[in-house]
Amino acid sequence: MKKAMVGLSALALLAACASEPNNDGTTNDQLDTNANDSATTIEGGNEDFLQVGLMSNPVSLDPHGANENVSNSINTNIYDRLVYTNQDLEITPGLASSFEQVEDTVWEATIREGVTFHDGEELNAEVVKQNFDRILDPAISSPIAFIFDMIEEVRVVDEYTVEFETAFPFASLPSHMAHPGGSIISPAIIEQSYEDMENGGQPFDAANENPIGTGFFQFEEYQPGNFVELSKNENYWDESDAQVDGVTFRIVPEGLTRIAELETETLDIIYPVNPGDVTRLEEAEGVGVYQAPSTRMAYLGFNTEVEPFNDPLVRRAIHMALNKEDLIEGVLDGTGSVANSPIAPDVFGYSEDLEPIDYDLDEARELLAEAGYEDGFQTTLLTDDDREREDSSQLIQAQLAEIGIDVEIEMVEFGVYLERAGAGETDMFVGSWGTVTMDADYGLYPVFHSSNKGSAGNRSYYENDEVDALLVEARQSSDDAERLALYEEAQQLIIEDSPYAFMYYPDLITGLNDDVEGFWQLPSSFLYLRDVSLNR
C-alpha cells in the first residue's frame, strides 16, 4: 500500500449558520524487525469482524464520561450527535435534521423522527434535553462539561424541537456539538446512572456495562484488557450505514506488537503508529500507512507559578533554545511541522501574521542573564512513558544543556502524569492539546484562560488579564472577522508570554491492511469506521 497523504480544507458550517482538543503515541518498546517474533495470539471476539488495534482500554464507554482518544474512537461508532464533522470537515446534520441560530443566544435543533436507540427507546426532544442536562449536572462531574458550559438552558419546544440558550452569543456551538462529548445516549442509561448514584455507585457505570446509542454499530461485549466488540446496527436510521458486519477493538498496548499483528493480518487497522516505524510499514508486504495533518499541538509546558518559570524572560529563553526542526526529525522522523502558535494551520483562528519566537541560542543566553540566571539552573521535566514524549524529553534535555539548564527527566505512568500536571506539581512538562472542534475557542480558552487553571486544561497555571478578556470577547462575538482579529491578538500575547513553548504539529499515522477500503480519519484522530469495508 502506498502512503496516503490527506490535506485539510477550511471548516464550513451548516448553510443556516451564517457565522462561524490526546493521547497519541505508543509505549516505550524496543524495535523488533521480526514480525513473527513480536506477534501475540489474540483470543476472543469475532475474528470475521474488522479488527482494530488500540493502545489501551477506553476510560469510559459513556461519551459523557471521557475525553481521550481511545474512548472517543470507540464511542464515535456507538453513538450519534446532533451534528457531526464529515470527511470534508463540514458540519453536517446528524440526529438533528437542522441546527440553526434563531436569536443571538438561542439555537434551535429539529430532531429527526423515527430514530430509535439500540434498546428500542425512541429519540425525541425530551431525550436530547435529558442528555445535555446530564452533561451539565455538577453532580455528574462530566469531564466534557466544559465543552458545553456556555449553555444556560435546554428547552423542549415540541416533541421534535429543542432550543439551546447560551449565556452569550457563541458562534462555535455547532463545532462543539460535533464533538464526541455531545453524543446522545439512551434515556434508560441516564435513568440508570442516577439510580446508581443514589445507591453509592458511579454515574458512568451503566454505560460502561452496556453502552446504548443510536449509532451504526451497537455494543456486543467488553473484556477489559482484551477487546471491545460492536456489531452492525441493522436498524440504523441513515441509509449510509456500516459497511462491515462488526468491529472488534483489540487492546494492544505495545506499539511494535500492534505493527507485528498488522503485518501478520491479525489486525486490519492500528492506531497510533510511532513515526519511527513508518518506514517498516511502507516496506512491508500487504500493509501501509495513512498519514494526514492533525490539529494536535505538542508543547513544552512551564508551571508559571513556580520559580524560575514565573519569569517570562526565562520561559522565552527556553522557547528560543528549542530547535524545533531537530525535534521534528529526531522525534517524528519528519512527519510533522513546526508549531509557532498554539493552534494548527487548519483551525479557524490560525494566523500567518504572528511573530514567532525563533531559535536563537545567543539571545536565549542573554535573556537568562537578564533574568539573573547567567549560569543557568537545575530543574525537572515531567513526562509519561509514551514513546514520543520520552524521545522529545531527551532531546529537550540535550538542547537546554546548551544554555546551561540542567534538566532531570522524571518519567511516570500516564494517569499519574495527568494528575500531577493538573495539580501543578511540576516545573516543566511535555504534553499536547488537540483542537478537536477545529475552532480556536477549544484550542485557546480551556488552555490559556485563567478560569481553567489545573486539570480543566490550563496546566501551566497561566494568568494574563488581557488574554482572558480577548478570549472571552472572541467566544462571544458572532462576526468571523472580529473573532479572527481577537484570536490573533490573544495568540501574540501568549507567544510573548510563552506559558508553553510550542514544538510541533504531528501528523496522524495509522497502519492499514491493504484489504481495508474507505478509511479516513478526522484531524482530531478519532476512528470513524462507518465507511470502512474489507476487500476479502
Side-chain angles (χ1 to χ4, degrees), residues 485-498:
L486 291 166
Y487 283 134
E488 181 177 301
E489 187 177 353
Q491 287 178 86
Q492 190 62 62
L493 290 172
I494 293 168
I495 290 170
E496 293 167 3
D497 281 348
S498 289

Side-chain angles (χ1 to χ4, degrees), residues 137-192:
D137 184 351
I140 295 292
S141 298
S142 170
I144 54 89
F146 75 95
I147 301 172
F148 305 105
D149 62 3
M150 72 295 300
I151 297 174
E152 284 197 327
E153 184 181 4
V154 184
R155 294 188 293 267
V156 172
V157 177
D158 58 40
E159 188 173 7
Y160 294 104
T161 307
V162 62
E163 287 183 345
F164 297 86
E165 182 166 356
T166 57
F168 45 82
F170 187 64
S172 303
L173 190 60
S175 298
H176 282 228
M177 287 290 181
H179 188 284
S183 294
I184 305 300
I185 70 175
S186 168
I189 295 296
I190 295 177
E191 181 179 350
Q192 184 62 53

Side-chain angles (χ1 to χ4, degrees), residues 372-399:
Y373 297 96
E374 184 174 2
D375 298 325
F377 56 86
Q378 293 183 332
T379 188
T380 58
L381 172 60
L382 182 70
T383 186
D384 65 280
D385 55 3
D386 167 85
R387 192 165 153 197
E388 176 190 321
R389 287 189 281 272
E390 180 186 8
D391 291 345
S392 62
S393 296
Q394 291 173 352
L395 276 174
I396 290 167
Q397 181 185 50
Q399 291 182 0

Side-chain angles (χ1 to χ4, degrees), residues 192-469:
Q192 184 62 53
S193 68
Y194 279 102
E195 288 182 9
D196 289 344
M197 291 174 64
E198 290 178 1
N199 295 321
Q202 299 301 313
F204 309 121
D205 288 348
N208 282 333
E209 295 173 3
N210 185 30
I212 301 172
T214 62
F216 40 84
F217 289 115
Q218 60 189 29
F219 177 74
E220 291 293 334
E221 185 179 2
Y222 176 28
Q223 292 186 9
N226 198 357
F227 65 85
V228 177
E229 187 163 276
L230 315 178
S231 64
K232 180 177 179 177
N233 177 9
E234 299 291 352
N235 299 310
Y236 190 53
W237 56 268
D238 190 0
E239 60 183 15
S240 299
D241 58 0
Q243 302 300 299
V244 293
D245 292 335
V247 54
T248 304
F249 293 96
R250 304 284 184 180
I251 313 305
V252 187
E254 293 77 22
L256 289 167
T257 302
R258 290 195 298 274
I259 288 176
E261 290 171 351
L262 181 70
E263 292 172 334
T264 55
E265 300 185 354
T266 306
L267 295 172
D268 301 307
I269 299 172
I270 61 171
Y271 182 80
V273 172
N274 187 273
D277 300 325
V278 169
T279 300
R280 170 175 170 174
L281 287 180
E282 289 177 332
E283 294 176 350
E285 291 293 327
V287 299
V289 298
Y290 172 98
Q291 186 174 334
S294 77
T295 57
R296 183 164 70 93
M297 182 271 294
Y299 60 79
L300 170 62
F302 310 106
N303 185 339
T304 62
E305 293 189 340
V306 302
E307 293 183 353
F309 305 107
N310 58 344
D311 189 337
L313 292 177
V314 172
R315 302 194 300 263
R316 284 174 60 86
I318 293 174
H319 202 160
M320 286 181 184
L322 294 185
N323 187 325
K324 300 176 184 181
E325 296 284 359
D326 282 358
L327 284 167
I328 291 171
E329 290 302 317
V331 178
L332 303 181
D333 202 21
T335 60
S337 58
V338 167
N340 285 322
S341 69
I343 54 177
D346 291 284
V347 174
F348 177 87
Y350 176 82
S351 173
E352 295 181 348
D353 298 327
L354 296 169
E355 296 181 14
I357 291 182
D358 294 323
Y359 176 61
D360 190 329
L361 288 180
D362 290 336
E363 186 172 354
R365 294 186 185 100
E366 291 176 6
L367 287 176
L368 280 184
E370 184 179 348
Y373 297 96
E374 184 174 2
D375 298 325
F377 56 86
Q378 293 183 332
T379 188
T380 58
L381 172 60
L382 182 70
T383 186
D384 65 280
D385 55 3
D386 167 85
R387 192 165 153 197
E388 176 190 321
R389 287 189 281 272
E390 180 186 8
D391 291 345
S392 62
S393 296
Q394 291 173 352
L395 276 174
I396 290 167
Q397 181 185 50
Q399 291 182 0
L400 295 191
E402 297 188 47
I403 59 171
I405 298 177
D406 182 9
V407 178
E408 178 185 354
I409 298 173
E410 187 175 3
M411 187 181 302
V412 296
E413 183 269 332
F414 184 66
V416 175
Y417 164 86
L418 287 178
E419 182 178 341
R420 288 186 55 184
E425 297 173 359
T426 61
D427 290 340
M428 299 192 300
F429 54 101
V430 173
S432 66
W433 183 268
T435 305
V436 178
T437 65
M438 300 290 293
D439 186 278
D441 181 77
Y442 189 96
L444 299 176
Y445 189 83
V447 186
F448 300 108
H449 194 279
S450 61
S451 65
N452 296 311
K453 286 183 180 180
S455 58
N458 185 351
R459 294 186 173 92
S460 64
Y461 284 73
Y462 173 62
E463 184 167 358
N464 180 313
D465 291 343
E466 191 174 357
V467 170
D468 281 356

Side-chain angles (χ1 to χ4, degrees), residues 461-481:
Y461 284 73
Y462 173 62
E463 184 167 358
N464 180 313
D465 291 343
E466 191 174 357
V467 170
D468 281 356
L470 288 166
L471 294 181
V472 169
E473 188 177 356
R475 70 182 342 219
Q476 295 184 6
S477 172
S478 297
D479 182 86
D480 279 0

Side-chain angles (χ1 to χ4, degrees), residues 5 13 29 47 60 101 108 166 230 234 290 317 371 414 420 436 476 509 519 536:
M5 290 296 296
L13 290 179
D29 38 34
E47 296 180 358
S60 179
Q101 190 172 12
E108 184 176 275
T166 57
L230 315 178
E234 299 291 352
Y290 172 98
F414 184 66
R420 288 186 55 184
V436 178
Q476 295 184 6
I509 306 175
F519 177 85
R536 64 171 182 256

Side-chain angles (χ1 to χ4, degrees), residues 48-75:
D48 294 329
F49 286 178
L50 178 72
Q51 305 293 308
V52 178
L54 299 177
M55 65 185 295
S56 67
N57 289 317
V59 170
S60 179
L61 294 178
D62 188 323
H64 308 157
N67 190 25
E68 46 81 34
N69 184 269
V70 172
S71 297
N72 286 332
S73 287
I74 296 172
N75 292 337

